[in-house]
Amino acid sequence: MKRFIIILIILITLPSVAQQRITLEECYDLVIENYPLAKQLLLFETQNKLDAAVISTSKLPQLSLDAQATYQSEVIEIPIPNANIESLNKDQYRATVSVNQLIYNGGLVDASLKLKSAQLKTKQKQIEVGLYQLKQQINQLYFSILLTQESELLLNAKQVQLQAKLKEVKSGIKYGAILPSSDKILEAELLKISQQFQELESNKTALIETLASLINRPLDASTVFQNPLIETEFQKELNRPELALFQLKKEEIENSESLIHKQNSSKLVGFAIGGYGNPGLNMLDNSFQPFYTIGIKLNWNVFDWNSNKKQRESLTINKDIVDTETEIFKLNTNIELNQQQKEIDKTKAFITSDLEIINLRKEVLKSADSQLKNGVITASAYITELTNLYEDENTLVKHKIQLQLAKANYNVIKGQ
């Protein structure tokens, strides 16, 4: 018998133990981890490695193979009588292998690598900004689900109260204390409550499915969404990823300036050419000969019509544009914070008055309950007062959820 009781207790408690729970912070983490945009982080990193490898190859020896066969209408002739110098063939052949090794280019390769690294950081931060902006969408869905949960609890309490009142009314009708058909009014109201349950359940399911798609985790109506305790610090200091993005954009521009500046630097290259052809380097030897040439060459673009300078001036303007964008972002964000703070203050005032209204409604309903038992009022009048209390309690719940949502949005806007 004891064994049976233990098994029964396990079977009863198992569903509640296995019931899935989720928090708002977990939703934040999951959307950052699983949203498709996050996959671009790895793609950008892989792409950057490939680009960096391509740039680095310019430091390695460059090998090229050339071959040509030509026929000339005229060739060089030596106008010396009886010199016995054979004229060159009009058909000529040459095959060469060239090796070029970069010795110095003013740090152009390193500057290019730094620019690619800065571009990668900017792209990664842009992804972070995009994922961060999903937090407000998560807030809206999460707290809407919480509101449906709380509304269901209130509606269930109203249903239980009406069911108990229906039993009392039927008993009063039986003994002639209450007017006939009063029970029908209560039964009709209970049917309305069933419809309201269906509507709440449908809305909740839609919200949960949307949230599950965003965070890529299976959720259902049995999932418990924990009501977070959110604290806010009303201060203007921002910690948004967009501010870091603006700074990275400026660093990227500075790296571009450095690269452009080095493009006019002198370039020193060592080279070696080996080949086989007819003629070779000795133009007087009309036969196939091997040959080679080794050397060093310097290239320096001394004058470019101020093209380099103008490019750098254009980039300086881009930095000023980024500074302007930063100021605009801070201004708009502080305006949003101010609006959210006013929303928080307003909702707190509503909650205070909601509590006072509910206390008054409870007194009115208590009086209506006594009057219904004594047949002084009809069931319709009682339902009106009960509905008034339910709607005011629902308003209180709505304002509490709105307060939590406003606090959560404030923290997201501030970057907390």
Side-chain angles (χ1 to χ4, degrees), residues 231-260:
E231 298 295 335
T232 56
E233 296 180 10
F234 296 116
Q235 57 186 26
K236 300 299 182 182
E237 184 178 352
L238 302 178
N239 190 30
R240 290 284 293 271
E242 288 90 341
L243 296 176
L245 175 60
F246 292 135
Q247 183 60 37
L248 287 173
K249 283 183 177 180
K250 290 179 66 175
E251 292 177 7
E252 183 181 334
I253 292 171
E254 289 169 358
N255 279 281
S256 296
E257 288 177 327
S258 176
L259 177 63
I260 291 173

Side-chain angles (χ1 to χ4, degrees), residues 259-312:
L259 177 63
I260 291 173
H261 180 72
K262 293 179 183 298
Q263 284 177 345
N264 278 351
S265 299
S266 59
K267 182 185 293 185
L268 189 65
V269 178
F271 66 90
I273 302 173
Y276 187 74
N278 182 3
L281 296 181
N282 184 359
M283 299 294 293
L284 299 180
D285 188 347
N286 192 19
S287 64
F288 281 92
Q289 297 291 331
F291 60 88
Y292 70 89
T293 303
I294 59 175
I296 190 170
K297 57 184 176 181
L298 175 69
N299 177 268
W300 186 14
N301 187 7
V302 180
F303 185 68
D304 65 350
W305 303 97
N306 284 330
S307 173
N308 191 283
K309 180 182 177 181
K310 290 175 182 177
Q311 290 182 62
R312 284 184 280 129

Side-chain angles (χ1 to χ4, degrees), residues 46-56 113 116 119 123:
T46 303
Q47 184 184 51
N48 181 262
K49 288 180 180 178
L50 293 173
D51 292 341
V54 172
I55 293 172
S56 298
L113 290 173
K116 282 295 178 183
Q119 289 173 341
K123 290 177 180 178

Side-chain angles (χ1 to χ4, degrees), residues 68 70 72 75-76 87-96 275-291:
Q68 68 177 28
T70 62
Q72 301 177 193
V75 294
I76 297 175
S87 299
L88 293 175
N89 295 330
K90 291 186 176 180
D91 56 321
Q92 297 184 4
Y93 307 91
R94 171 173 287 209
T96 59
Y276 187 74
N278 182 3
L281 296 181
N282 184 359
M283 299 294 293
L284 299 180
D285 188 347
N286 192 19
S287 64
F288 281 92
Q289 297 291 331
F291 60 88

Side-chain angles (χ1 to χ4, degrees), residues 141-371:
L141 288 168
Y142 192 91
F143 286 102
S144 295
I145 293 169
L146 285 181
L147 181 57
T148 59
Q149 285 187 169
E150 296 296 327
S151 297
E152 284 177 340
L153 292 175
L154 280 176
L155 194 59
N156 183 68
K158 181 181 178 183
Q159 184 184 50
V160 170
Q161 191 168 352
L162 277 177
Q163 287 171 343
K165 186 56 60 181
L166 179 60
K167 292 180 181 179
E168 292 180 8
V169 167
K170 285 185 175 181
S171 177
I173 292 173
K174 181 179 179 181
Y175 293 103
I178 298 177
L179 294 173
S181 77
S182 294
D183 56 338
K184 304 302 180 186
I185 297 173
L186 295 175
E187 288 173 353
E189 187 65 22
L190 285 169
L191 289 175
K192 287 183 181 180
I193 289 177
S194 297
Q195 291 178 338
Q196 291 172 351
F197 269 123
Q198 292 174 3
E199 184 176 1
L200 280 173
E201 192 64 32
S202 176
N203 292 339
K204 182 180 177 181
T205 300
L207 290 167
I208 290 175
E209 288 176 354
T210 304
L211 180 61
S213 297
L214 276 177
I215 65 177
N216 194 27
R217 170 178 283 190
L219 304 171
D220 53 42
S222 65
T223 304
V224 176
F225 293 82
Q226 296 184 1
N227 199 341
L229 180 62
I230 299 176
E231 298 295 335
T232 56
E233 296 180 10
F234 296 116
Q235 57 186 26
K236 300 299 182 182
E237 184 178 352
L238 302 178
N239 190 30
R240 290 284 293 271
E242 288 90 341
L243 296 176
L245 175 60
F246 292 135
Q247 183 60 37
L248 287 173
K249 283 183 177 180
K250 290 179 66 175
E251 292 177 7
E252 183 181 334
I253 292 171
E254 289 169 358
N255 279 281
S256 296
E257 288 177 327
S258 176
L259 177 63
I260 291 173
H261 180 72
K262 293 179 183 298
Q263 284 177 345
N264 278 351
S265 299
S266 59
K267 182 185 293 185
L268 189 65
V269 178
F271 66 90
I273 302 173
Y276 187 74
N278 182 3
L281 296 181
N282 184 359
M283 299 294 293
L284 299 180
D285 188 347
N286 192 19
S287 64
F288 281 92
Q289 297 291 331
F291 60 88
Y292 70 89
T293 303
I294 59 175
I296 190 170
K297 57 184 176 181
L298 175 69
N299 177 268
W300 186 14
N301 187 7
V302 180
F303 185 68
D304 65 350
W305 303 97
N306 284 330
S307 173
N308 191 283
K309 180 182 177 181
K310 290 175 182 177
Q311 290 182 62
R312 284 184 280 129
E313 288 176 351
S314 176
L315 288 174
T316 301
I317 293 174
N318 283 342
K319 287 172 69 176
D320 292 338
I321 291 173
V322 173
D323 286 336
T324 305
E325 290 175 346
T326 305
E327 291 177 14
I328 293 171
F329 176 79
K330 287 182 177 179
L331 175 62
N332 291 336
T333 304
N334 284 324
I335 290 173
E336 285 187 73
L337 283 176
N338 188 51
Q339 291 173 341
Q340 285 296 322
Q341 185 171 348
K342 283 182 169 51
E343 180 70 20
I344 291 170
D345 294 338
K346 179 188 72 175
T347 309
K348 285 181 177 179
F350 283 165
I351 290 174
T352 301
S353 59
D354 286 338
L355 293 171
E356 294 175 1
I357 292 170
I358 288 171
N359 288 332
L360 293 172
R361 290 291 187 194
K362 286 181 178 179
E363 292 296 326
V364 173
L365 182 63
K366 183 178 179 182
S367 175
D369 181 56
S370 176
Q371 290 173 346

